[in-house]
Amino acid sequence: MARYIPPKQSKIGQMIDVVVLLILSIGALYIPLWLGLAGSSKLPLPADNPTWESLGQNEVMVERWNALGFADPASAHDMITARFDYSFTWGALALMVVVIVGYFVMMLRLSEKEYREVIAEKFDGK
Amino acid sequence: MMANTDITSKTMDGMGPHGTKVGLLRVLGPAHVWALGVGIVLVGEYMGWNFAVGKGGAYAALIACWFAGILYSCVAMIDSEVTSTVAAAGGQYTQAKHIVGPLMAFNVGLYLVFAYTMLEAGNAITLGYLISVAADMTGATEPLDQRPFIILAIMFLAWLNYRGVLATLTFNLIITAFAFCAILVLFFASAPWSEGSMLAHGELMSGQAALPYGWLGVLAAMHFGLWFYLGIEGTTQAAEEVRSPARALPFGTLAGIMTLLIAATLTWYICVGYLPWEYLGDGVNGAVAPLFSAAQMTGSDALIIILGFGTLFATLASANGCINDASRAWFSMGRDHYLPQWFGAVHPQYRTPYRSIIFLVPIALIFALGAPLDQVITFSILSGLLGYTFMPINVILFRRKWPLDTIKRGYEHPFHPIPAILLIALCSVTYFAVFLGYGTQLIAMVSFYIVVSLWFHFWRYRFVKRADQFTMPWPKPRGY
């Protein structure tokens, strides 16, 4: 097997690759945020006429909220009651495991294939 | 940190925070390694870590901070061994090329670029917030639009990097030292030993505030616990400039982690003693810059100014370093043809990787302007986390392909493979922590890396020379 000589990429080909990379980075990471598909699942609990007591705030806490500019319980209500929803389905957890493990397995297998070519050409002159 | 190195050099690899040259004089000692590490990471105390409070409460954030410290100790030990052996520096990117394979190296390079670019966006958001607060405090009648300041900050720092007007290491160290001392000043000014202290841990952490999500929240907090230290692993990339890598790298890095552990614990102690956890844990609408918010609670103008400048300096130093490091990593991949070689160009006059700098500006801008701080930080953390997952795989393959008797190590990490197994376990816990509340980002980020990996393997790799990627004077790996 002869030593591998890579083809020379044209300027237009390089430009297309640059655009593809830009689209991939923004498309995969920003578009889900923009569409509101991704984002923290932190939501405030609805409540009518909240009081500091009903929000579970003691005297020192109330004093700190006031110092922070939250003069009444209604203004601090959303921040105080917002909680993450940590409930999850086993299916979603399994999907996460499959995606992460699958990514590493795929990457290691394809890397290994490329690596064998590198080592063969470097050490065996193939 | 800024790299005052010539990127046109044939013997220099542009990867990593410092940029290192083969054959460079070995002048750095453990103290320098320590200073480099702390300098990169300190911004993590000024913003971002407090999302851990939001995910699990104040106690959970402290536990996460300490467990993340263990994770980073494993990272430091493993990375020290491999780096002390890899003669042609370049950090994990070069390690991956020689030990795992080209596709892994491409991914590791991307982890670096995205961890830094997202951190840069996070820094710009914090800066915009700081300026809007300063406007409020100086009597602005309407809320300030932060966007022009975010754009200006990123464009200005990118321009500085484009022109090659690099801040010196010394300058960066001075402003980092200021930021570190500002934390100490706030701690001592808060006088926790005094009865009249405003710190009220007992009252602010009582009842539902103790562990609002129970022990699941402690797990979830591990997600942002990494932010206390993210980037410390960059110290090992100074391997070529260190007098005694075997001693200085593990010692300097672990001392850096210990310093950050102290700074992080102090930061935690101050902030949870001043602010209700719900406010502290909401880094988007609440405490964007928690130490600055804590200083505001004291009512002392002097402390507000000191912590305001501390936040400003920490974010500026970090953002400047991020642009420098991300563009160099991108440039190096262009030079190796992993990316279009168009990126491997050097400015004829300023000798900077100007195309890489320009390319990354819109990416940083779009996230700084259009994404909330917690999302941006999550993307940065995820890129870092994928990098930490690579490390145990890397060291296990390294020991298998080149056992201890085949090539000399500058440093051999003890108890192999326990640190590797522990690191994998802690990474798995952190993936689960991100999944709790930020599952969509996790899937989006990994899907992105899957798609670009396929693009690289089936399209891009044809433009890469094969044997030229292996530059180490090592024997043939076992099993090949």
Side-chain angles (χ1 to χ4, degrees), chain A residues 28-45:
Chain A
L29 304 178
Y30 185 72
I31 301 288
L33 289 180
W34 187 60
L35 292 175
L37 295 174
S40 60
S41 50
K42 206 174 176 183
L43 293 169
L45 296 171

Side-chain angles (χ1 to χ4, degrees), chain A residues 54-110:
Chain A
S54 71
L55 293 173
Q57 303 298 298
N58 61 34
E59 205 176 307
V60 174
M61 292 169 180
V62 174
E63 173 218 317
R64 299 293 156 103
W65 283 112
N66 291 337
L68 287 164
F70 297 87
D72 56 86
S75 60
H77 167 266
D78 282 2
M79 199 174 279
I80 292 174
T81 60
R83 290 286 185 279
F84 284 101
D85 179 8
Y86 287 155
S87 61
F88 60 88
T89 61
W90 289 105
L93 183 63
L95 176 71
M96 180 200 73
V97 174
V98 167
V99 169
I100 295 172
V101 173
Y103 162 63
F104 275 101
V105 168
M106 177 204 77
M107 187 169 50
L108 290 173
R109 288 184 74 125
L110 296 180

Side-chain angles (χ1 to χ4, degrees), chain B residues 237-279:
Chain B
Q237 294 175 9
E240 283 308 297
E241 294 159 88
V242 170
R243 278 195 300 272
S244 166
R247 190 174 67 94
L249 285 180
F251 181 79
T253 310
L254 287 168
I257 289 171
M258 282 182 245
T259 310
L260 289 168
L261 203 60
I262 293 166
T265 309
L266 282 180
T267 299
W268 175 89
Y269 183 81
I270 295 165
C271 293
V272 301
Y274 277 116
L275 302 162
W277 78 272
E278 298 96 334
Y279 183 85

Side-chain angles (χ1 to χ4, degrees), chain B residues 88-177:
Chain B
Q92 293 90 3
Y93 170 74
T94 309
Q95 293 174 19
K97 258 199 295 191
H98 288 86
I99 298 166
V100 186
L103 179 61
M104 184 80 240
F106 173 70
N107 277 268
V108 169
L110 286 185
Y111 301 156
L112 272 170
V113 170
F114 279 94
Y116 286 129
T117 305
M118 295 296 166
L119 173 54
E120 175 196 340
N123 285 322
I125 294 171
T126 311
L127 200 74
Y129 163 80
L130 206 62
I131 289 171
S132 76
V133 174
D136 282 348
M137 290 168 70
T138 48
T141 49
E142 285 179 32
L144 192 76
D145 188 350
Q146 300 175 16
R147 287 173 300 180
F149 296 97
I150 291 173
I151 296 171
L152 272 177
I154 290 179
M155 300 289 276
F156 177 70
L157 292 173
W159 177 75
L160 277 187
N161 277 275
Y162 182 98
R163 288 287 304 259
V165 184
L166 300 178
T168 64
L169 185 69
T170 315
F171 176 71
N172 256 19
L173 282 179
I174 289 170
I175 62 175
T176 306

Side-chain angles (χ1 to χ4, degrees), chain B residues 166-455:
Chain B
L166 300 178
T168 64
L169 185 69
T170 315
F171 176 71
N172 256 19
L173 282 179
I174 289 170
I175 62 175
T176 306
F178 179 92
F180 185 76
C181 291
I183 300 175
L184 296 179
V185 168
L186 183 58
F187 176 75
F188 286 110
S190 302
W193 53 85
S194 141
E195 284 200 6
S197 171
M198 278 181 71
L199 293 168
H201 294 90
E203 292 83 355
L204 291 175
M205 292 166 71
S206 65
Q208 53 88 30
L211 275 179
Y213 294 96
W215 287 100
L216 192 62
V218 176
L219 265 182
M222 190 67 183
H223 169 186
F224 290 104
L226 261 58
W227 198 244
F228 283 114
Y229 314 90
L230 197 107
I232 186 82
E233 68 277 11
T235 52
T236 50
Q237 294 175 9
E240 283 308 297
E241 294 159 88
V242 170
R243 278 195 300 272
S244 166
R247 190 174 67 94
L249 285 180
F251 181 79
T253 310
L254 287 168
I257 289 171
M258 282 182 245
T259 310
L260 289 168
L261 203 60
I262 293 166
T265 309
L266 282 180
T267 299
W268 175 89
Y269 183 81
I270 295 165
C271 293
V272 301
Y274 277 116
L275 302 162
W277 78 272
E278 298 96 334
Y279 183 85
L280 178 61
D282 188 340
V284 176
N285 303 306
V288 178
L291 280 164
F292 180 65
S293 297
Q296 284 180 297
M297 294 296 287
T298 64
S300 155
D301 288 343
L303 285 175
I304 292 171
I305 290 169
I306 290 171
L307 271 296
F309 274 102
T311 310
L312 182 72
F313 286 167
T315 49
L316 276 180
S318 171
N320 200 17
C322 285
I323 294 174
N324 182 72
D325 298 343
S327 61
R328 270 159 195 274
W330 199 258
F331 160 82
S332 294
M333 288 200 285
R335 197 176 51 175
D336 290 345
H337 294 201
Y338 280 21
L339 291 173
Q341 66 194 92
W342 185 77
F343 290 118
V346 175
H347 194 283
Q349 189 182 347
Y350 305 125
R351 297 165 79 83
T352 52
Y354 67 114
R355 287 177 185 161
S356 301
I357 293 170
I358 294 169
F359 177 78
L360 294 172
V361 164
I363 298 181
L365 274 178
I366 200 166
F367 284 94
L369 293 171
L373 186 59
D374 59 332
Q375 318 285 355
V376 169
I377 289 178
T378 296
F379 283 139
S380 182
I381 286 174
L382 275 171
S383 290
L385 183 60
L386 290 166
Y388 306 143
T389 312
F390 146 76
M391 286 180 190
I393 299 170
N394 189 41
V395 78
I396 287 168
L397 288 176
F398 184 51
R399 291 261 180 138
R400 194 185 295 166
K401 292 179 184 180
W402 292 277
L404 292 178
D405 56 349
T406 54
I407 48 176
K408 190 178 177 306
R409 269 84 164 157
Y411 166 78
E412 284 170 25
H413 82 271
F415 313 120
H416 177 78
I418 294 170
I421 294 167
L422 187 58
L423 182 52
I424 282 268
L426 287 168
C427 285
S428 305
V429 168
T430 314
Y431 283 117
F432 181 64
V434 179
F435 170 73
L436 293 173
Y438 292 80
T440 322
Q441 282 92 324
L442 176 62
I443 301 290
M445 190 101 215
V446 179
S447 304
F448 163 71
Y449 282 116
I450 290 174
V451 174
V452 289
S453 293
L454 293 172
W455 174 82

Side-chain angles (χ1 to χ4, degrees), chain A residues 3-4 7 9 14 17 39 58 64 83-84 86 103 107 111-112 114-115 117 121-122 124, chain B residues 55 98 103-104 107 111 198 203 208 213 273-274 342 375 457 459-460 462 466 468 470 476 480:
Chain A
R3 195 177 167 86
Y4 177 75
Q9 194 180 23
Q14 289 191 48
D17 275 4
N58 61 34
R64 299 293 156 103
R83 290 286 185 279
F84 284 101
Y86 287 155
Y103 162 63
M107 187 169 50
S111 279
E112 177 69 13
E114 295 166 353
Y115 188 72
E117 282 177 19
E121 196 177 292
K122 172 85 184 174
D124 304 335
Chain B
K55 282 199 84 175
H98 288 86
L103 179 61
M104 184 80 240
N107 277 268
Y111 301 156
M198 278 181 71
E203 292 83 355
Q208 53 88 30
Y213 294 96
Y274 277 116
W342 185 77
Q375 318 285 355
H457 181 77
W459 167 251
R460 186 69 226 167
R462 73 189 60 189
R466 303 303 195 241
D468 289 12
F470 199 101
K476 192 175 176 183
Y480 288 83

